[in-house]
Short mmCIF file of all heavy atoms in Angstrom, two decimals:
data_model
loop_
_atom_site.label_atom_id
_atom_site.label_comp_id
_atom_site.label_asym_id
_atom_site.label_seq_id
_atom_site.Cartn_x
_atom_site.Cartn_y
_atom_site.Cartn_z
N GLN A 1 0.79 -1.20 0.05
CA GLN A 1 0.01 0.03 -0.01
C GLN A 1 0.87 1.25 -0.02
O GLN A 1 0.60 2.17 -0.62
CB GLN A 1 -0.94 -0.04 1.27
CG GLN A 1 -1.95 -1.11 1.19
CD GLN A 1 -2.85 -1.15 2.39
OE1 GLN A 1 -2.64 -0.39 3.31
NE2 GLN A 1 -3.84 -2.03 2.43
N VAL A 2 2.02 1.21 0.68
CA VAL A 2 2.86 2.39 0.68
C VAL A 2 3.43 2.58 -0.68
O VAL A 2 3.66 3.76 -1.14
CB VAL A 2 4.02 2.12 1.75
CG1 VAL A 2 5.02 3.27 1.71
CG2 VAL A 2 3.40 1.98 3.09
N VAL A 3 3.78 1.53 -1.40
CA VAL A 3 4.37 1.65 -2.75
C VAL A 3 3.31 2.24 -3.64
O VAL A 3 3.64 3.13 -4.46
CB VAL A 3 4.88 0.26 -3.22
CG1 VAL A 3 5.30 0.33 -4.64
CG2 VAL A 3 5.94 -0.28 -2.39
N LEU A 4 2.12 1.72 -3.60
CA LEU A 4 1.11 2.27 -4.44
C LEU A 4 0.81 3.74 -4.07
O LEU A 4 0.61 4.54 -5.07
CB LEU A 4 -0.26 1.45 -4.26
CG LEU A 4 -0.20 0.00 -4.80
CD1 LEU A 4 -1.52 -0.77 -4.44
CD2 LEU A 4 0.13 -0.02 -6.28
N LEU A 5 0.82 4.08 -2.86
CA LEU A 5 0.62 5.43 -2.46
C LEU A 5 1.74 6.36 -2.98
O LEU A 5 1.51 7.45 -3.48
CB LEU A 5 0.56 5.56 -0.95
CG LEU A 5 0.28 6.99 -0.40
CD1 LEU A 5 -1.04 7.51 -0.88
CD2 LEU A 5 0.32 6.93 1.13
N LEU A 6 3.00 5.85 -2.93
CA LEU A 6 4.11 6.58 -3.45
C LEU A 6 3.96 6.80 -4.95
O LEU A 6 4.26 7.87 -5.46
CB LEU A 6 5.35 5.89 -3.05
CG LEU A 6 6.64 6.55 -3.50
CD1 LEU A 6 6.80 7.93 -2.90
CD2 LEU A 6 7.85 5.71 -3.15
N ILE A 7 3.53 5.74 -5.67
CA ILE A 7 3.39 5.89 -7.09
C ILE A 7 2.28 6.93 -7.49
O ILE A 7 2.43 7.77 -8.32
CB ILE A 7 3.10 4.47 -7.73
CG1 ILE A 7 4.29 3.58 -7.65
CG2 ILE A 7 2.67 4.65 -9.16
CD1 ILE A 7 4.01 2.11 -8.02
N ALA A 8 1.21 6.84 -6.69
CA ALA A 8 0.06 7.75 -6.95
C ALA A 8 0.54 9.25 -6.63
O ALA A 8 0.25 10.19 -7.41
CB ALA A 8 -1.11 7.45 -6.10
N LEU A 9 1.35 9.46 -5.57
CA LEU A 9 1.84 10.75 -5.27
C LEU A 9 2.75 11.25 -6.35
O LEU A 9 2.61 12.40 -6.72
CB LEU A 9 2.55 10.68 -3.87
CG LEU A 9 3.18 12.03 -3.39
CD1 LEU A 9 2.04 13.06 -3.23
CD2 LEU A 9 3.87 11.78 -2.04
N LEU A 10 3.65 10.40 -6.87
CA LEU A 10 4.51 10.78 -7.88
C LEU A 10 3.78 11.12 -9.17
O LEU A 10 4.01 12.17 -9.89
CB LEU A 10 5.47 9.75 -8.25
CG LEU A 10 6.56 9.41 -7.13
CD1 LEU A 10 7.45 8.26 -7.52
CD2 LEU A 10 7.46 10.67 -6.93
N ALA A 11 2.62 10.42 -9.47
CA ALA A 11 1.80 10.70 -10.58
C ALA A 11 1.14 12.07 -10.40
O ALA A 11 1.06 12.92 -11.38
CB ALA A 11 0.76 9.63 -10.76
N ILE A 12 0.72 12.36 -9.22
CA ILE A 12 0.04 13.69 -8.96
C ILE A 12 1.01 14.79 -9.14
O ILE A 12 0.72 15.82 -9.71
CB ILE A 12 -0.66 13.70 -7.58
CG1 ILE A 12 -1.79 12.70 -7.45
CG2 ILE A 12 -1.11 15.13 -7.25
CD1 ILE A 12 -2.38 12.55 -6.07
N LEU A 13 2.19 14.61 -8.57
CA LEU A 13 3.21 15.59 -8.71
C LEU A 13 3.60 15.84 -10.23
O LEU A 13 3.81 16.98 -10.62
CB LEU A 13 4.45 15.31 -7.92
CG LEU A 13 4.33 15.30 -6.43
CD1 LEU A 13 5.59 14.84 -5.72
CD2 LEU A 13 3.97 16.68 -5.91
N TRP A 14 3.69 14.71 -10.95
CA TRP A 14 3.98 14.88 -12.41
C TRP A 14 2.91 15.64 -13.13
O TRP A 14 3.23 16.50 -13.99
CB TRP A 14 4.22 13.50 -12.96
CG TRP A 14 4.52 13.44 -14.37
CD1 TRP A 14 5.66 13.91 -15.00
CD2 TRP A 14 3.72 13.01 -15.41
NE1 TRP A 14 5.65 13.76 -16.37
CE2 TRP A 14 4.45 13.23 -16.68
CE3 TRP A 14 2.39 12.53 -15.53
CZ2 TRP A 14 3.91 12.86 -17.95
CZ3 TRP A 14 1.92 12.17 -16.79
CH2 TRP A 14 2.65 12.36 -17.95
N LEU A 15 1.62 15.30 -12.83
CA LEU A 15 0.58 16.08 -13.49
C LEU A 15 0.51 17.47 -13.09
O LEU A 15 0.16 18.39 -13.82
CB LEU A 15 -0.84 15.36 -13.22
CG LEU A 15 -0.91 13.95 -13.84
CD1 LEU A 15 -2.23 13.30 -13.31
CD2 LEU A 15 -0.97 14.07 -15.37
N GLY A 16 0.83 17.65 -11.74
CA GLY A 16 0.81 19.13 -11.28
C GLY A 16 1.94 19.99 -11.77
O GLY A 16 1.90 21.18 -11.66
N SER A 17 3.00 19.39 -12.31
CA SER A 17 4.12 20.10 -12.81
C SER A 17 3.64 21.00 -14.07
O SER A 17 4.49 21.81 -14.50
CB SER A 17 5.28 19.27 -13.12
OG SER A 17 4.92 18.29 -14.22
N GLY A 18 2.60 20.64 -14.63
CA GLY A 18 2.15 21.45 -15.85
C GLY A 18 1.46 22.76 -15.44
O GLY A 18 1.08 23.50 -16.30
N ILE A 19 1.24 23.09 -14.21
CA ILE A 19 0.63 24.28 -13.80
C ILE A 19 1.78 25.37 -13.78
O ILE A 19 2.86 25.20 -13.30
CB ILE A 19 0.04 24.22 -12.40
CG1 ILE A 19 -1.00 23.16 -12.32
CG2 ILE A 19 -0.48 25.61 -11.92
CD1 ILE A 19 -1.57 22.90 -10.99
N TYR A 20 1.44 26.55 -14.36
CA TYR A 20 2.47 27.68 -14.53
C TYR A 20 1.74 28.98 -14.32
O TYR A 20 0.41 28.99 -14.34
CB TYR A 20 3.17 27.65 -15.82
CG TYR A 20 2.25 27.93 -17.09
CD1 TYR A 20 2.01 29.14 -17.56
CD2 TYR A 20 1.64 26.78 -17.69
CE1 TYR A 20 1.19 29.38 -18.58
CE2 TYR A 20 0.83 27.01 -18.74
CZ TYR A 20 0.54 28.28 -19.20
OH TYR A 20 -0.26 28.54 -20.34
N ARG A 21 2.38 30.03 -14.08
CA ARG A 21 1.86 31.37 -13.80
C ARG A 21 2.44 32.39 -14.72
O ARG A 21 3.75 32.40 -14.79
CB ARG A 21 2.05 31.72 -12.23
CG ARG A 21 1.40 33.08 -11.94
CD ARG A 21 1.52 33.39 -10.45
NE ARG A 21 1.02 34.73 -10.20
CZ ARG A 21 -0.26 34.87 -9.78
NH1 ARG A 21 -1.08 33.86 -9.86
NH2 ARG A 21 -0.67 36.11 -9.56
N VAL A 22 1.69 33.18 -15.32
CA VAL A 22 2.17 34.19 -16.21
C VAL A 22 2.08 35.56 -15.41
O VAL A 22 0.97 35.98 -14.98
CB VAL A 22 1.32 34.30 -17.47
CG1 VAL A 22 1.85 35.53 -18.34
CG2 VAL A 22 1.54 33.06 -18.21
N GLN A 23 3.11 36.19 -15.21
CA GLN A 23 3.20 37.46 -14.55
C GLN A 23 2.76 38.70 -15.40
O GLN A 23 2.78 38.52 -16.61
CB GLN A 23 4.58 37.76 -13.95
CG GLN A 23 5.11 36.69 -12.96
CD GLN A 23 4.38 36.76 -11.68
OE1 GLN A 23 3.75 37.74 -11.30
NE2 GLN A 23 4.38 35.60 -10.97
N PRO A 24 2.32 39.75 -14.84
CA PRO A 24 2.00 40.93 -15.70
C PRO A 24 3.18 41.41 -16.51
O PRO A 24 4.28 41.47 -15.98
CB PRO A 24 1.60 42.00 -14.68
CG PRO A 24 1.12 41.18 -13.47
CD PRO A 24 1.99 39.98 -13.45
N GLY A 25 3.04 41.59 -17.79
CA GLY A 25 4.02 41.95 -18.67
C GLY A 25 4.70 40.74 -19.33
O GLY A 25 5.71 41.03 -20.16
#
């Protein structure tokens, strides 16, 4: 269960790496 949880966490982090922020200008 820990391994599966770790894999799921890594998948979430990988998907979340696509979030970016554009500053004014």
Side-chain angles (χ1 to χ4, degrees):
Q1 296 179 355
V2 178
V3 175
L4 293 176
L5 182 61
L6 181 60
I7 294 174
L9 181 60
L10 291 176
I12 293 173
L13 292 177
W14 180 69
L15 293 174
S17 63
I19 300 174
Y20 63 91
R21 180 180 180 85
V22 177
Q23 299 292 338

